Amino acid sequence: MREVEVKFTVSNLAAVTTTLAARNIVLAEPIFQDDQAFAPVGWSFGDSKLGVTFLRLRTVDSRHWFTLKQPGVNAQDCLEHETEVSDREQMHQAIVRMGYWATVRVAKSRRTGRHGEVSLCLDEVEGLGSFLELERMVPYGTPAAVVQDELAAFVASLDLDAVRTAETYDSLVRAAQEGAVRVPSSRASTDTANTAATSSVV
């Protein structure tokens, strides 16, 4: 299975929760997620993510998860494996020994809900702002772009003040840290130009 998602910047969290509630989508109470992202040594922000294996450590309420993600046709279409680990620091050191470097920390408050097979996340990300993220797990071979367009169409039907971005939180956080202009919110990403060339080998 692969995780396919779409992400939107939003400006009015109350309006989002009210609109979702009108669709019988109830969001859970917020939880705080403390994520550390890792990339292979030699990879840098600005390089293509397609076909590259990235790792993450996440802590929620003193519990820790190790996640592997490998983007497919775009950065928001990922092969994903996840398991709980007991010792975050030991796992961190093991990841570094595997040939990875710690890239950025992503800290956020997240509320979650479901709409059929779709998971919804309403996030407040430190240093970035607020986002609405929709995710679906799909079988291998399912065209990611079709699923992403369906998810985006659902958001459009909500008539929210939401702007789609093709970037991931780690890239957005790094851009903010470097004092760069925030990555444009659009369907394009830094990998767009490389998609055709790399998707055939993923």
PDB file of all heavy atoms in Angstrom, residues 20-52:
ATOM      1  N   LEU A  20     -16.309  21.213   8.217  1.00  0.00           N
ATOM      2  CA  LEU A  20     -16.185  19.760   8.298  1.00  0.00           C
ATOM      3  C   LEU A  20     -17.310  19.165   9.134  1.00  0.00           C
ATOM      4  O   LEU A  20     -17.871  18.115   8.774  1.00  0.00           O
ATOM      5  CB  LEU A  20     -14.821  19.379   8.889  1.00  0.00           C
ATOM      6  CG  LEU A  20     -13.595  19.709   8.043  1.00  0.00           C
ATOM      7  CD1 LEU A  20     -12.322  19.315   8.790  1.00  0.00           C
ATOM      8  CD2 LEU A  20     -13.649  18.999   6.688  1.00  0.00           C
ATOM      9  N   ALA A  21     -17.656  19.824  10.221  1.00  0.00           N
ATOM     10  CA  ALA A  21     -18.739  19.326  11.063  1.00  0.00           C
ATOM     11  C   ALA A  21     -20.057  19.269  10.296  1.00  0.00           C
ATOM     12  O   ALA A  21     -20.873  18.370  10.504  1.00  0.00           O
ATOM     13  CB  ALA A  21     -18.880  20.201  12.303  1.00  0.00           C
ATOM     14  N   ALA A  22     -20.251  20.233   9.391  1.00  0.00           N
ATOM     15  CA  ALA A  22     -21.468  20.238   8.567  1.00  0.00           C
ATOM     16  C   ALA A  22     -21.515  19.036   7.635  1.00  0.00           C
ATOM     17  O   ALA A  22     -22.595  18.653   7.176  1.00  0.00           O
ATOM     18  CB  ALA A  22     -21.539  21.529   7.756  1.00  0.00           C
ATOM     19  N   ARG A  23     -20.360  18.439   7.363  1.00  0.00           N
ATOM     20  CA  ARG A  23     -20.275  17.210   6.560  1.00  0.00           C
ATOM     21  C   ARG A  23     -20.176  15.971   7.451  1.00  0.00           C
ATOM     22  O   ARG A  23     -19.790  14.907   6.987  1.00  0.00           O
ATOM     23  CB  ARG A  23     -19.060  17.276   5.635  1.00  0.00           C
ATOM     24  CG  ARG A  23     -19.094  18.362   4.579  1.00  0.00           C
ATOM     25  CD  ARG A  23     -20.127  18.079   3.501  1.00  0.00           C
ATOM     26  NE  ARG A  23     -20.023  19.019   2.400  1.00  0.00           N
ATOM     27  CZ  ARG A  23     -19.387  18.770   1.248  1.00  0.00           C
ATOM     28  NH1 ARG A  23     -18.792  17.601   1.062  1.00  0.00           N
ATOM     29  NH2 ARG A  23     -19.330  19.683   0.292  1.00  0.00           N
ATOM     30  N   ASN A  24     -20.495  16.138   8.726  1.00  0.00           N
ATOM     31  CA  ASN A  24     -20.432  15.047   9.695  1.00  0.00           C
ATOM     32  C   ASN A  24     -19.020  14.507   9.881  1.00  0.00           C
ATOM     33  O   ASN A  24     -18.822  13.321  10.171  1.00  0.00           O
ATOM     34  CB  ASN A  24     -21.386  13.905   9.312  1.00  0.00           C
ATOM     35  CG  ASN A  24     -22.840  14.323   9.353  1.00  0.00           C
ATOM     36  OD1 ASN A  24     -23.273  15.005  10.288  1.00  0.00           O
ATOM     37  ND2 ASN A  24     -23.595  13.944   8.333  1.00  0.00           N
ATOM     38  N   ILE A  25     -18.034  15.384   9.736  1.00  0.00           N
ATOM     39  CA  ILE A  25     -16.643  15.020   9.981  1.00  0.00           C
ATOM     40  C   ILE A  25     -16.237  15.702  11.288  1.00  0.00           C
ATOM     41  O   ILE A  25     -16.081  16.919  11.339  1.00  0.00           O
ATOM     42  CB  ILE A  25     -15.728  15.471   8.836  1.00  0.00           C
ATOM     43  CG1 ILE A  25     -16.183  14.847   7.515  1.00  0.00           C
ATOM     44  CG2 ILE A  25     -14.276  15.107   9.131  1.00  0.00           C
ATOM     45  CD1 ILE A  25     -15.475  15.417   6.303  1.00  0.00           C
ATOM     46  N   VAL A  26     -16.095  14.911  12.323  1.00  0.00           N
ATOM     47  CA  VAL A  26     -15.776  15.439  13.647  1.00  0.00           C
ATOM     48  C   VAL A  26     -14.285  15.232  13.902  1.00  0.00           C
ATOM     49  O   VAL A  26     -13.767  14.118  13.757  1.00  0.00           O
ATOM     50  CB  VAL A  26     -16.599  14.743  14.746  1.00  0.00           C
ATOM     51  CG1 VAL A  26     -16.221  15.295  16.108  1.00  0.00           C
ATOM     52  CG2 VAL A  26     -18.088  14.930  14.473  1.00  0.00           C
ATOM     53  N   LEU A  27     -13.606  16.288  14.273  1.00  0.00           N
ATOM     54  CA  LEU A  27     -12.173  16.214  14.535  1.00  0.00           C
ATOM     55  C   LEU A  27     -11.917  15.886  15.998  1.00  0.00           C
ATOM     56  O   LEU A  27     -12.597  16.391  16.893  1.00  0.00           O
ATOM     57  CB  LEU A  27     -11.499  17.542  14.180  1.00  0.00           C
ATOM     58  CG  LEU A  27     -11.580  17.964  12.714  1.00  0.00           C
ATOM     59  CD1 LEU A  27     -10.946  19.340  12.527  1.00  0.00           C
ATOM     60  CD2 LEU A  27     -10.903  16.937  11.806  1.00  0.00           C
ATOM     61  N   ALA A  28     -10.911  15.045  16.224  1.00  0.00           N
ATOM     62  CA  ALA A  28     -10.519  14.677  17.584  1.00  0.00           C
ATOM     63  C   ALA A  28      -9.845  15.858  18.275  1.00  0.00           C
ATOM     64  O   ALA A  28      -9.508  16.865  17.643  1.00  0.00           O
ATOM     65  CB  ALA A  28      -9.579  13.481  17.534  1.00  0.00           C
ATOM     66  N   GLU A  29      -9.640  15.719  19.569  1.00  0.00           N
ATOM     67  CA  GLU A  29      -8.924  16.733  20.320  1.00  0.00           C
ATOM     68  C   GLU A  29      -7.487  16.830  19.816  1.00  0.00           C
ATOM     69  O   GLU A  29      -6.925  15.842  19.330  1.00  0.00           O
ATOM     70  CB  GLU A  29      -8.929  16.392  21.819  1.00  0.00           C
ATOM     71  CG  GLU A  29     -10.288  16.518  22.469  1.00  0.00           C
ATOM     72  CD  GLU A  29     -10.838  17.939  22.365  1.00  0.00           C
ATOM     73  OE1 GLU A  29     -10.105  18.889  22.731  1.00  0.00           O
ATOM     74  OE2 GLU A  29     -11.986  18.109  21.917  1.00  0.00           O
ATOM     75  N   PRO A  30      -6.868  18.001  19.902  1.00  0.00           N
ATOM     76  CA  PRO A  30      -5.517  18.162  19.361  1.00  0.00           C
ATOM     77  C   PRO A  30      -4.477  17.354  20.136  1.00  0.00           C
ATOM     78  O   PRO A  30      -4.582  17.200  21.359  1.00  0.00           O
ATOM     79  CB  PRO A  30      -5.255  19.672  19.483  1.00  0.00           C
ATOM     80  CG  PRO A  30      -6.214  20.147  20.521  1.00  0.00           C
ATOM     81  CD  PRO A  30      -7.410  19.261  20.436  1.00  0.00           C
ATOM     82  N   ILE A  31      -3.504  16.838  19.401  1.00  0.00           N
ATOM     83  CA  ILE A  31      -2.342  16.187  19.984  1.00  0.00           C
ATOM     84  C   ILE A  31      -1.099  16.891  19.453  1.00  0.00           C
ATOM     85  O   ILE A  31      -1.119  17.483  18.372  1.00  0.00           O
ATOM     86  CB  ILE A  31      -2.270  14.683  19.651  1.00  0.00           C
ATOM     87  CG1 ILE A  31      -2.222  14.468  18.129  1.00  0.00           C
ATOM     88  CG2 ILE A  31      -3.445  13.939  20.263  1.00  0.00           C
ATOM     89  CD1 ILE A  31      -1.964  13.026  17.729  1.00  0.00           C
ATOM     90  N   PHE A  32      -0.027  16.842  20.221  1.00  0.00           N
ATOM     91  CA  PHE A  32       1.219  17.470  19.807  1.00  0.00           C
ATOM     92  C   PHE A  32       2.147  16.410  19.244  1.00  0.00           C
ATOM     93  O   PHE A  32       2.395  15.383  19.886  1.00  0.00           O
ATOM     94  CB  PHE A  32       1.888  18.180  20.975  1.00  0.00           C
ATOM     95  CG  PHE A  32       3.176  18.867  20.597  1.00  0.00           C
ATOM     96  CD1 PHE A  32       3.157  20.055  19.880  1.00  0.00           C
ATOM     97  CD2 PHE A  32       4.398  18.319  20.948  1.00  0.00           C
ATOM     98  CE1 PHE A  32       4.340  20.684  19.520  1.00  0.00           C
ATOM     99  CE2 PHE A  32       5.582  18.945  20.605  1.00  0.00           C
ATOM    100  CZ  PHE A  32       5.560  20.132  19.887  1.00  0.00           C
ATOM    101  N   GLN A  33       2.652  16.640  18.033  1.00  0.00           N
ATOM    102  CA  GLN A  33       3.577  15.728  17.379  1.00  0.00           C
ATOM    103  C   GLN A  33       4.940  16.405  17.237  1.00  0.00           C
ATOM    104  O   GLN A  33       5.035  17.503  16.702  1.00  0.00           O
ATOM    105  CB  GLN A  33       3.055  15.313  15.994  1.00  0.00           C
ATOM    106  CG  GLN A  33       1.757  14.538  16.045  1.00  0.00           C
ATOM    107  CD  GLN A  33       1.281  14.098  14.671  1.00  0.00           C
ATOM    108  OE1 GLN A  33       1.654  14.689  13.661  1.00  0.00           O
ATOM    109  NE2 GLN A  33       0.459  13.071  14.631  1.00  0.00           N
ATOM    110  N   ASP A  34       5.964  15.734  17.718  1.00  0.00           N
ATOM    111  CA  ASP A  34       7.333  16.230  17.644  1.00  0.00           C
ATOM    112  C   ASP A  34       8.094  15.322  16.692  1.00  0.00           C
ATOM    113  O   ASP A  34       8.435  14.190  17.042  1.00  0.00           O
ATOM    114  CB  ASP A  34       7.960  16.215  19.046  1.00  0.00           C
ATOM    115  CG  ASP A  34       9.357  16.805  19.070  1.00  0.00           C
ATOM    116  OD1 ASP A  34       9.866  17.183  18.000  1.00  0.00           O
ATOM    117  OD2 ASP A  34       9.946  16.874  20.162  1.00  0.00           O
ATOM    118  N   ASP A  35       8.344  15.813  15.481  1.00  0.00           N
ATOM    119  CA  ASP A  35       8.961  15.006  14.424  1.00  0.00           C
ATOM    120  C   ASP A  35      10.388  15.456  14.143  1.00  0.00           C
ATOM    121  O   ASP A  35      10.663  16.660  14.059  1.00  0.00           O
ATOM    122  CB  ASP A  35       8.173  15.133  13.110  1.00  0.00           C
ATOM    123  CG  ASP A  35       6.767  14.568  13.206  1.00  0.00           C
ATOM    124  OD1 ASP A  35       6.447  13.922  14.221  1.00  0.00           O
ATOM    125  OD2 ASP A  35       5.989  14.781  12.257  1.00  0.00           O
ATOM    126  N   GLN A  36      11.274  14.482  13.972  1.00  0.00           N
ATOM    127  CA  GLN A  36      12.611  14.742  13.453  1.00  0.00           C
ATOM    128  C   GLN A  36      12.732  14.017  12.124  1.00  0.00           C
ATOM    129  O   GLN A  36      12.520  12.805  12.053  1.00  0.00           O
ATOM    130  CB  GLN A  36      13.700  14.245  14.413  1.00  0.00           C
ATOM    131  CG  GLN A  36      15.121  14.416  13.887  1.00  0.00           C
ATOM    132  CD  GLN A  36      15.472  15.879  13.652  1.00  0.00           C
ATOM    133  OE1 GLN A  36      15.399  16.698  14.559  1.00  0.00           O
ATOM    134  NE2 GLN A  36      15.846  16.215  12.427  1.00  0.00           N
ATOM    135  N   ALA A  37      13.040  14.774  11.077  1.00  0.00           N
ATOM    136  CA  ALA A  37      13.196  14.194   9.745  1.00  0.00           C
ATOM    137  C   ALA A  37      14.665  13.873   9.479  1.00  0.00           C
ATOM    138  O   ALA A  37      15.565  14.559   9.953  1.00  0.00           O
ATOM    139  CB  ALA A  37      12.664  15.160   8.691  1.00  0.00           C
ATOM    140  N   PHE A  38      14.888  12.822   8.682  1.00  0.00           N
ATOM    141  CA  PHE A  38      16.230  12.390   8.308  1.00  0.00           C
ATOM    142  C   PHE A  38      16.284  12.147   6.809  1.00  0.00           C
ATOM    143  O   PHE A  38      15.320  11.665   6.207  1.00  0.00           O
ATOM    144  CB  PHE A  38      16.614  11.085   9.014  1.00  0.00           C
ATOM    145  CG  PHE A  38      16.637  11.151  10.504  1.00  0.00           C
ATOM    146  CD1 PHE A  38      15.466  10.974  11.236  1.00  0.00           C
ATOM    147  CD2 PHE A  38      17.815  11.374  11.188  1.00  0.00           C
ATOM    148  CE1 PHE A  38      15.480  11.015  12.624  1.00  0.00           C
ATOM    149  CE2 PHE A  38      17.840  11.415  12.578  1.00  0.00           C
ATOM    150  CZ  PHE A  38      16.669  11.239  13.294  1.00  0.00           C
ATOM    151  N   ALA A  39      17.427  12.451   6.213  1.00  0.00           N
ATOM    152  CA  ALA A  39      17.659  12.210   4.790  1.00  0.00           C
ATOM    153  C   ALA A  39      18.997  11.500   4.628  1.00  0.00           C
ATOM    154  O   ALA A  39      19.879  11.610   5.493  1.00  0.00           O
ATOM    155  CB  ALA A  39      17.672  13.522   4.015  1.00  0.00           C
ATOM    156  N   PRO A  40      19.191  10.780   3.514  1.00  0.00           N
ATOM    157  CA  PRO A  40      20.477  10.120   3.298  1.00  0.00           C
ATOM    158  C   PRO A  40      21.603  11.145   3.201  1.00  0.00           C
ATOM    159  O   PRO A  40      21.414  12.237   2.649  1.00  0.00           O
ATOM    160  CB  PRO A  40      20.282   9.395   1.957  1.00  0.00           C
ATOM    161  CG  PRO A  40      18.812   9.302   1.759  1.00  0.00           C
ATOM    162  CD  PRO A  40      18.230  10.511   2.419  1.00  0.00           C
ATOM    163  N   VAL A  41      22.758  10.795   3.764  1.00  0.00           N
ATOM    164  CA  VAL A  41      23.929  11.651   3.615  1.00  0.00           C
ATOM    165  C   VAL A  41      24.206  11.834   2.120  1.00  0.00           C
ATOM    166  O   VAL A  41      24.190  10.871   1.342  1.00  0.00           O
ATOM    167  CB  VAL A  41      25.150  11.021   4.318  1.00  0.00           C
ATOM    168  CG1 VAL A  41      26.425  11.776   3.952  1.00  0.00           C
ATOM    169  CG2 VAL A  41      24.942  11.009   5.829  1.00  0.00           C
ATOM    170  N   GLY A  42      24.402  13.082   1.712  1.00  0.00           N
ATOM    171  CA  GLY A  42      24.614  13.392   0.298  1.00  0.00           C
ATOM    172  C   GLY A  42      23.406  14.027  -0.357  1.00  0.00           C
ATOM    173  O   GLY A  42      23.530  14.677  -1.397  1.00  0.00           O
ATOM    174  N   TRP A  43      22.214  13.821   0.265  1.00  0.00           N
ATOM    175  CA  TRP A  43      21.003  14.473  -0.251  1.00  0.00           C
ATOM    176  C   TRP A  43      20.860  15.827   0.425  1.00  0.00           C
ATOM    177  O   TRP A  43      21.102  15.978   1.624  1.00  0.00           O
ATOM    178  CB  TRP A  43      19.768  13.628   0.043  1.00  0.00           C
ATOM    179  CG  TRP A  43      18.481  14.211  -0.513  1.00  0.00           C
ATOM    180  CD1 TRP A  43      17.932  13.982  -1.730  1.00  0.00           C
ATOM    181  CD2 TRP A  43      17.612  15.150   0.153  1.00  0.00           C
ATOM    182  NE1 TRP A  43      16.778  14.709  -1.873  1.00  0.00           N
ATOM    183  CE2 TRP A  43      16.554  15.439  -0.743  1.00  0.00           C
ATOM    184  CE3 TRP A  43      17.647  15.766   1.394  1.00  0.00           C
ATOM    185  CZ2 TRP A  43      15.529  16.316  -0.422  1.00  0.00           C
ATOM    186  CZ3 TRP A  43      16.632  16.649   1.731  1.00  0.00           C
ATOM    187  CH2 TRP A  43      15.574  16.910   0.826  1.00  0.00           C
ATOM    188  N   SER A  44      20.439  16.846  -0.342  1.00  0.00           N
ATOM    189  CA  SER A  44      20.235  18.187   0.193  1.00  0.00           C
ATOM    190  C   SER A  44      18.888  18.723  -0.259  1.00  0.00           C
ATOM    191  O   SER A  44      18.361  18.318  -1.310  1.00  0.00           O
ATOM    192  CB  SER A  44      21.341  19.140  -0.284  1.00  0.00           C
ATOM    193  OG  SER A  44      22.610  18.708   0.147  1.00  0.00           O
ATOM    194  N   PHE A  45      18.331  19.642   0.514  1.00  0.00           N
ATOM    195  CA  PHE A  45      17.093  20.298   0.100  1.00  0.00           C
ATOM    196  C   PHE A  45      17.319  20.994  -1.235  1.00  0.00           C
ATOM    197  O   PHE A  45      18.330  21.668  -1.428  1.00  0.00           O
ATOM    198  CB  PHE A  45      16.634  21.296   1.163  1.00  0.00           C
ATOM    199  CG  PHE A  45      16.029  20.639   2.368  1.00  0.00           C
ATOM    200  CD1 PHE A  45      16.794  20.411   3.510  1.00  0.00           C
ATOM    201  CD2 PHE A  45      14.710  20.210   2.358  1.00  0.00           C
ATOM    202  CE1 PHE A  45      16.247  19.791   4.624  1.00  0.00           C
ATOM    203  CE2 PHE A  45      14.153  19.588   3.463  1.00  0.00           C
ATOM    204  CZ  PHE A  45      14.926  19.376   4.604  1.00  0.00           C
ATOM    205  N   GLY A  46      16.372  20.813  -2.131  1.00  0.00           N
ATOM    206  CA  GLY A  46      16.524  21.285  -3.500  1.00  0.00           C
ATOM    207  C   GLY A  46      16.776  20.135  -4.453  1.00  0.00           C
ATOM    208  O   GLY A  46      16.466  20.227  -5.640  1.00  0.00           O
ATOM    209  N   ASP A  47      17.344  19.016  -3.926  1.00  0.00           N
ATOM    210  CA  ASP A  47      17.508  17.811  -4.740  1.00  0.00           C
ATOM    211  C   ASP A  47      16.141  17.139  -4.892  1.00  0.00           C
ATOM    212  O   ASP A  47      15.240  17.333  -4.062  1.00  0.00           O
ATOM    213  CB  ASP A  47      18.464  16.821  -4.072  1.00  0.00           C
ATOM    214  CG  ASP A  47      19.887  17.332  -3.980  1.00  0.00           C
ATOM    215  OD1 ASP A  47      20.200  18.338  -4.658  1.00  0.00           O
ATOM    216  OD2 ASP A  47      20.672  16.734  -3.223  1.00  0.00           O
ATOM    217  N   SER A  48      15.999  16.315  -5.913  1.00  0.00           N
ATOM    218  CA  SER A  48      14.764  15.559  -6.077  1.00  0.00           C
ATOM    219  C   SER A  48      14.573  14.588  -4.918  1.00  0.00           C
ATOM    220  O   SER A  48      15.525  13.986  -4.413  1.00  0.00           O
ATOM    221  CB  SER A  48      14.790  14.774  -7.392  1.00  0.00           C
ATOM    222  OG  SER A  48      13.632  13.954  -7.495  1.00  0.00           O
ATOM    223  N   LYS A  49      13.329  14.425  -4.491  1.00  0.00           N
ATOM    224  CA  LYS A  49      12.991  13.453  -3.457  1.00  0.00           C
ATOM    225  C   LYS A  49      12.526  12.121  -4.052  1.00  0.00           C
ATOM    226  O   LYS A  49      12.406  11.134  -3.321  1.00  0.00           O
ATOM    227  CB  LYS A  49      11.874  13.999  -2.559  1.00  0.00           C
ATOM    228  CG  LYS A  49      12.280  15.175  -1.692  1.00  0.00           C
ATOM    229  CD  LYS A  49      11.132  15.586  -0.778  1.00  0.00           C
ATOM    230  CE  LYS A  49      11.564  16.709   0.174  1.00  0.00           C
ATOM    231  NZ  LYS A  49      10.465  17.097   1.086  1.00  0.00           N
ATOM    232  N   LEU A  50      12.261  12.104  -5.334  1.00  0.00           N
ATOM    233  CA  LEU A  50      11.620  10.939  -5.936  1.00  0.00           C
ATOM    234  C   LEU A  50      12.536   9.724  -5.908  1.00  0.00           C
ATOM    235  O   LEU A  50      13.679   9.769  -6.345  1.00  0.00           O
ATOM    236  CB  LEU A  50      11.200  11.256  -7.372  1.00  0.00           C
ATOM    237  CG  LEU A  50      10.322  12.500  -7.545  1.00  0.00           C
ATOM    238  CD1 LEU A  50       9.818  12.608  -8.969  1.00  0.00           C
ATOM    239  CD2 LEU A  50       9.150  12.482  -6.560  1.00  0.00           C
ATOM    240  N   GLY A  51      12.014   8.640  -5.354  1.00  0.00           N
ATOM    241  CA  GLY A  51      12.773   7.406  -5.258  1.00  0.00           C
ATOM    242  C   GLY A  51      13.773   7.376  -4.125  1.00  0.00           C
ATOM    243  O   GLY A  51      14.473   6.378  -3.941  1.00  0.00           O
ATOM    244  N   VAL A  52      13.862   8.437  -3.342  1.00  0.00           N
ATOM    245  CA  VAL A  52      14.810   8.519  -2.226  1.00  0.00           C
ATOM    246  C   VAL A  52      14.099   8.079  -0.947  1.00  0.00           C
ATOM    247  O   VAL A  52      12.948   8.443  -0.707  1.00  0.00           O
ATOM    248  CB  VAL A  52      15.359   9.953  -2.068  1.00  0.00           C
ATOM    249  CG1 VAL A  52      16.334  10.022  -0.886  1.00  0.00           C
ATOM    250  CG2 VAL A  52      16.027  10.421  -3.352  1.00  0.00           C
TER     251      VAL A  52
END
